[in-house]
């Protein structure tokens, strides 16, 4: 995790102004107060960076260990709060990583069919389940790719960015291009094997 030095200085100056006001420090003490606030900001940033490198399981174990102590004290309470916050962030990050890996695995499985057929089971927007027979290689013959206009390429890039879970496929039964929401795919039958997914 990279420490944002600009944000660090902003935090240090904000804390300095607050301390100067709340504790009525004299103007000549500004440098000393700022030095203290900058040091504290660095310590917090480095601690946050260290916590960000840990897994949610490690963070949860550290929080549990701290909670089991007889006395925490002010520093312990602050540490526990930081651990809980870091754990929530780690859980969200790990969930996003699992989802991205899941989407990539589904893309690769469907694409592996090549010119053969692949049966994809997914849930439609209305909640009903559908099985689509797709032929990945055939789609390439119906898209312009590099021959598309600049506007077409930009539109395709925008769609991919806004809807990363949608995969364009060739519907063999409809004989037309369609999109499959990989997030709702529960089963892929390809190359003589069936792959099931929880969603």
């Amino acid at each position: 995790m990279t420490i944002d030095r600009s944000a660090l200085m902003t935090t240090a100056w904000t804390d300095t102004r607050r301390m100067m006001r709340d504790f009525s420090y004299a103007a000549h003490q500004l440098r000393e107060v700022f030095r203290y606030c900058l040091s504290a900001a660095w310590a917090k940033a480095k601690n946050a960076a260290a916590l960000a490198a840990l897994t949610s399981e490690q963070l949860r174990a550290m929080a549990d260990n701290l909670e089991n102590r007889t006395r925490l004290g002010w520093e312990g309470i602050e540490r526990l709060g930081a651990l809980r916050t870091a754990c929530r962030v780690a859980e969200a990050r790990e969930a996003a990583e699992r989802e991205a890996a899941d989407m990539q695995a589904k893309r690769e499985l469907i694409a592996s069919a090549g010119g053969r057929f692949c049966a994809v089971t997914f849930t439609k927007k209305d909640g009903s389940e559908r099985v689509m027979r797709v032929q990945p290689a055939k789609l390439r013959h119906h898209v312009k790719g590099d021959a598309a206009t600049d506007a077409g390429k930009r539109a395709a890039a925008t769609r991919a960015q806004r809807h990363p879970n949608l995969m364009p496929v060739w519907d063999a039964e409809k004989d037309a291009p369609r999109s499959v929401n990989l997030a709702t795919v529960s089963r892929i039958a390809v190359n003589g094997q069936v792959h099931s997914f929880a969603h």
Side-chain angles (χ1 to χ4, degrees), residues 79-122:
R79 174 70 172 172
L80 184 58
L83 286 170
R84 286 171 173 165
T85 299
C87 188
R88 288 193 294 270
V89 172
E91 287 171 345
R93 182 187 68 243
E94 289 163 4
E97 290 172 351
R98 286 194 299 271
E99 182 181 8
D102 191 52
M103 297 302 105
Q104 185 59 29
K106 291 174 181 179
R107 284 183 187 278
E108 291 175 358
L109 279 172
I110 294 172
S112 70
R116 297 181 299 279
F117 293 106
C118 171
V120 181
T121 304
F122 62 96

Side-chain angles (χ1 to χ4, degrees), residues 39-129:
S39 177
W42 262 112
K44 286 183 180 179
K46 286 191 284 189
N47 182 57
L51 293 180
L54 301 176
T55 66
S56 61
E57 185 178 356
Q58 291 172 318
L59 291 164
R60 201 174 298 111
M62 291 169 69
D64 289 345
N65 180 60
L66 203 56
E67 283 182 325
N68 290 329
R69 293 186 182 179
T70 306
R71 257 182 97 87
L72 278 181
W74 178 248
E75 287 186 1
I77 293 172
E78 279 198 330
R79 174 70 172 172
L80 184 58
L83 286 170
R84 286 171 173 165
T85 299
C87 188
R88 288 193 294 270
V89 172
E91 287 171 345
R93 182 187 68 243
E94 289 163 4
E97 290 172 351
R98 286 194 299 271
E99 182 181 8
D102 191 52
M103 297 302 105
Q104 185 59 29
K106 291 174 181 179
R107 284 183 187 278
E108 291 175 358
L109 279 172
I110 294 172
S112 70
R116 297 181 299 279
F117 293 106
C118 171
V120 181
T121 304
F122 62 96
T123 305
K124 297 168 64 175
K125 285 185 179 180
D126 61 7
S128 62
E129 191 175 79

